[in-house]
Amino acid sequence: QLQLVESGGGLVRPGGSLRLSCAASGGTLEYYVIGWFRQAPGKEREGVSCISSIDGSTTYADSVKGRFTISRDDAKNTLYLQMNSLKPEDTAVYYCAADLLSCSNPYYWGQGTQVTVSS
């Protein structure tokens, strides 16, 4: 059973940066399509970014394009999300998720890490 544990969240000022990590155990992450999702208070969960297991291609939500970068280190079995130029509207609980087939409805989820962007 694949297990995912996020870390790296916290409080940051607008314009600042954070790097989230998602450490996997119980499985080899390189075989999975993996991504980041977020849920802000009172809002539905949304996809932020996804990375393919086949060719490493990436997708991003329009709201984060040019500011966030997803990457994976298969040797460390870890997924990352580098977040730059953070805005208050990026405030949310961020989750990593994995699936063998698609990022649209992942089967495996982490517990989430809080990101708060505020002055």
Side-chain angles (χ1 to χ4, degrees):
Q1 180 90 352
L2 187 69
Q3 294 183 328
L4 304 170
V5 179
E6 303 94 335
S7 62
L11 173 64
V12 63
R13 294 186 183 276
S17 297
L18 280 175
R19 188 177 81 153
L20 304 183
S21 299
C22 174
S25 61
T28 303
L29 207 53
E30 66 178 307
Y31 299 140
Y32 293 83
V33 180
I34 48 178
W36 290 96
F37 296 75
R38 67 185 181 185
Q39 187 166 20
K43 294 188 177 182
E44 292 187 356
R45 186 171 59 200
E46 63 171 345
V48 174
S49 182
C50 191
I51 186 165
S52 169
S53 59
I54 297 175
D55 58 6
S57 59
T58 57
T59 58
Y60 295 93
D62 288 343
S63 58
V64 306
K65 280 181 183 177
R67 300 188 298 122
F68 290 12
T69 303
I70 190 172
S71 62
R72 60 195 298 168
D73 186 333
D74 291 335
K76 295 183 177 180
N77 223 24
T78 300
L79 175 72
Y80 301 101
L81 185 68
Q82 178 67 43
M83 305 186 295
N84 298 328
S85 302
L86 282 161
K87 304 175 181 181
E89 51 264 43
D90 294 318
T91 295
V93 178
Y94 284 72
Y95 301 88
C96 69
D99 194 270
L100 287 172
L101 296 177
S102 171
C103 216
S104 62
N105 189 21
Y107 184 79
Y108 301 99
W109 290 85
Q111 84 289 349
T113 185
Q114 176 70 47
V115 172
T116 303
V117 185
S118 175
S119 54

